[in-house]
Amino acid sequence: MDSLLVHASTPYSILIDFDLLSQSGPLILSHLDKKPERAVIVTDSNVAPLYLHTVQRSLEAEGIAVTPMIFRAGESSKRLKTVAQMYSVFSQAGLTRTDIAVALGGGVTGDMCGFAAASYMRGIRYIQIPTTLLSQIDSSVGGKTAIDIDEGKNLVGAFWNPALVLCDIGTLSTLTPHFFADGMAEAIKYGCIKSLSLFEQLEKQNASDFLPDMISQCIRIKCGVVERDERESGERMLLNFGHTLGHALEKYYHYEGLSHGEAVGIGMVLASRAGETLGITPAGTADRIAALLQKYHLPTSDPAPLGTLAKFALSDKKRLGSTVNFVALKTIGDAFVHPVPQSQWEAFVLGGASR
């Protein structure tokens, strides 16, 4: 088992291995300073038939009373209405600050359950059990929780660290090729911003051939960034490479059709083309990223109008005051934040990313 300790304001462990779901009860108890009496397992309608019984049985075997909360799968559920339903279930289950919420599923589940845990009774403990590649290597790590509103993705949320993250690699075997590819976009992003060696490994090998190692590499990269900049005041912004225009694409399609990973992949290509036009990113970078995205069956372009995407991006949380913090690449493996004045933002996107 690979075990990582995240040295955050509230430290927590990340465990990476196969068959962790069946051991989730004793593993959770071994990482909590006080045993919970009750737990609510938050999961979606896709994951519940696959894994809910296993986790519930393991917790109940440890003497913990379990209440499931199942919501309709999909990004469209990532709203305050669903979180309000979680509050009701938490209350009816009798959760107190010594009890736990368990996020069992992908990024939508983890983000919402984490936000509900952060705000219920002003904060209760929660456990992340991510079951998708994207959530294992990205959204379950770092303590960001959020929901979507009409104006944009993840605009309402809180920083709230989990008490434990259990990454059961075996759950990835039930992913469709589409959702596995979705997570690969984030793995490629880590290579782009922090690790040329990971990027080259993904080019030369198939990710499925070194999956546990790839997951560990990605999580270690993110842990390092989070430990150095937990509240995203500097280096952590680099994790948003591809996300500014990627989130705008998701909003353009009303969070349907185009997945998060697909949108981020396209956003990375657009960001690199803009950087090349400005002369801050070496020529050929965007084509190299696009080739790797295509290898893992991810799109590299979209017909959505760039002018509209530029306007949507102005409501994204990457904007500070009158400046958009645009993440660009000095080279693959080395990213930096390039501030763009709001007054120049649309021309920057249209002039750079459109070529």
Side-chain angles (χ1 to χ4, degrees), residues 245 248-249 252-253 270 302-312 346 349-350:
L245 292 173
L249 268 169
Y252 179 80
Y253 288 110
L270 292 173
D302 190 88
L306 281 172
T308 302
L309 298 182
K311 289 184 174 67
F312 282 172
E346 187 170 353
V349 173
L350 290 174

Side-chain angles (χ1 to χ4, degrees), residues 276 281-287 355:
E276 289 178 29
T281 299
T285 301
D287 287 342
R355 69 174 184 85

Side-chain angles (χ1 to χ4, degrees), residues 8-35:
S9 55
T10 305
Y12 58 96
S13 293
I14 302 171
L15 308 183
I16 309 165
D17 204 352
F18 291 88
D19 197 32
L20 295 184
L21 264 62
S22 63
Q23 308 171 61
S24 55
L27 287 172
I28 288 169
L29 290 189
S30 69
H31 286 80
L32 296 179
D33 56 1
K34 183 175 179 59
K35 178 182 177 180

